[in-house]
Amino acid sequence: MKNLKLITLLIALFMLYVQCEQESIDSKNSESIILNEEILGDKTDILNTVNESILAKNYQNRDAVEFVYTGQLCGLNITGMYVDATAYQSLHHYFFNGNEGDIISIYVPRTTIGFDSAFTLYFGTIDTELLYVASSDDVIADTFGGCFSDPYIGDFTLPYSGTYTLVIHEAAHCGYPMGYEIITTGINCNDADFDGCLNEEDPYPNSIMTETIIIDGIDTGVENKFKNCGTMADEIQDIINQINDQYTGDNYYILHKKLSSEVSKLTYYWYKDRKITSKERTTIGNAIWKSNIPYSIRS
């Protein structure tokens, strides 16, 4: 009986010791996180330095870490991890294609306590000129209790059509390991114009997605309806491109009349298919006649 009481007492003392040790560790970790935040304070200067280095393509660890793409963003969540000892000095680059007016969101939460994730978005590629578009840091609190918060931009409208480069980097080094996840919406590498037709099967992979048909800056007010993996504006633009290709410098009026005739044929079929009304057909015809196409007449 005495032995049982002794064993029980020893177990209780051991559990108390373990609890105290854990509280001590948690306290030290908490103090370390607070210390990091107090020392670093406003990270604006750090982020500005990183941005300037990226634009100059001369980051502090440029010689050790080659400027290459880590991967492509296609709408699926991507996980990443810095693994080498100087990882916090390096960059991870991802690219995706987008169109002007696309609305996207990008969220890069850390997947480990040590990574203070941040990102910068550029228009262009690492092989060409990079144009700063946006950046983010410390927007959404991380779920690990680490230092600072995680970056996020939402309902962001892309300003240009083409290739974008997303650079993942550290805003402040908080320790190891250094993992992150990229979660996006509005980005899809298989359907550039989000019309439901895959790029390889789409006759208009970058469709004109304006709400109304606009011809040479003239808004017809006619709804730009979707048709056969493209829009009505796409079909009119096809004709305009063909007319422009035929322009020699002295055949403007001949081509302008031809443009009017070809668009008239096209809108006749739209009218027969009940895609547009007779009045809308006339409106489109008037816009064509008022336009300065072929465009080369302006030069």
Side-chain angles (χ1 to χ4, degrees):
M1 188 68 176
K2 289 183 179 180
N3 289 339
L4 180 59
K5 288 183 178 180
L6 180 60
I7 293 172
T8 302
L9 178 61
L10 289 174
I11 292 174
L13 290 173
F14 176 75
M15 294 299 294
L16 180 61
Y17 170 79
V18 170
Q19 182 179 351
C20 291
E21 283 294 307
Q22 185 61 49
E23 289 177 356
S24 175
I25 292 171
D26 290 343
S27 176
K28 288 179 180 179
N29 286 339
S30 179
E31 289 173 2
S32 176
I33 290 169
I34 293 172
L35 181 61
N36 276 334
E37 294 191 356
E38 287 178 348
I39 291 174
L40 292 168
D42 184 3
K43 294 183 289 182
T44 303
D45 290 342
I46 297 174
L47 297 175
N48 287 341
T49 300
V50 172
N51 178 50
E52 291 170 2
S53 300
I54 293 171
L55 289 175
K57 298 185 181 176
N58 185 30
Y59 201 61
Q60 55 184 319
N61 201 32
R62 177 67 175 88
D63 293 335
V65 181
E66 185 180 3
F67 265 42
V68 295
Y69 279 113
T70 308
Q72 181 179 8
L73 302 181
C74 293
L76 301 176
N77 295 354
I78 293 178
T79 57
M81 178 73 72
Y82 287 94
V83 294
D84 60 279
T86 58
Y88 66 93
Q89 295 180 330
S90 65
L91 307 166
H92 282 187
H93 305 79
Y94 295 86
F95 72 92
F96 67 91
N97 295 319
N99 294 315
E100 179 182 351
D102 286 352
I103 299 176
I104 69 167
S105 70
I106 303 174
Y107 176 37
V108 184
R110 71 193 75 189
T111 57
T112 61
I113 194 171
F115 190 55
D116 179 30
S117 56
F119 66 75
T120 311
L121 180 64
Y122 300 89
F123 179 70
T125 69
I126 56 178
D127 298 321
T128 60
E129 183 180 359
L130 292 174
L131 177 64
Y132 174 86
V133 174
S135 62
S136 183
D137 178 43
D138 294 341
V139 177
I140 298 178
D142 79 278
T143 59
F144 291 90
C147 64
F148 300 103
S149 300
D150 295 332
Y152 170 80
I153 57 173
D155 294 329
F156 182 79
T157 302
L158 295 181
Y160 314 105
S161 295
T163 302
Y164 287 80
T165 295
L166 179 71
V167 181
I168 308 296
H169 56 87
E170 270 226 319
H173 185 48
C174 300
Y176 294 99
M178 302 167 62
Y180 62 88
E181 184 176 17
I182 305 175
I183 302 172
T184 64
T185 63
I187 297 174
N188 188 331
C189 62
N190 295 320
D191 182 10
D193 52 13
F194 305 105
D195 62 1
C197 300
L198 297 180
N199 293 341
E200 59 269 22
E201 302 171 357
D202 195 342
Y204 306 103
N206 294 288
S207 289
I208 301 171
M209 306 296 282
T210 54
E211 292 184 6
T212 57
I213 297 174
I214 300 174
I215 300 169
D216 194 25
I218 302 171
D219 190 344
T220 65
V222 178
E223 183 183 354
N224 182 27
K225 295 178 181 177
F226 181 78
K227 185 175 182 290
N228 298 329
C229 289
T231 64
M232 289 178 168
D234 289 330
E235 295 186 60
I236 291 178
Q237 188 62 47
D238 267 354
I239 297 174
I240 292 174
N241 291 341
Q242 293 170 17
I243 293 297
N244 278 329
D245 288 343
Q246 297 174 47
Y247 182 63
T248 61
D250 56 3
N251 59 345
Y252 172 80
Y253 294 104
I254 294 175
L255 290 179
H256 192 67
K257 289 180 180 179
K258 184 177 180 180
L259 170 68
S260 180
S261 175
E262 292 300 317
V263 172
S264 179
K265 293 176 186 177
L266 175 64
T267 57
Y268 173 75
Y269 290 113
W270 290 351
Y271 171 70
K272 292 287 287 184
D273 292 339
R274 298 185 179 181
K275 300 291 185 183
I276 58 173
T277 64
S278 176
K279 183 179 180 180
E280 288 174 329
R281 184 175 179 233
T282 300
T283 301
I284 294 173
N286 289 339
I288 287 291
W289 191 251
K290 292 177 182 178
S291 69
N292 289 319
I293 302 172
Y295 293 124
S296 301
I297 190 68
R298 296 171 176 171
S299 57

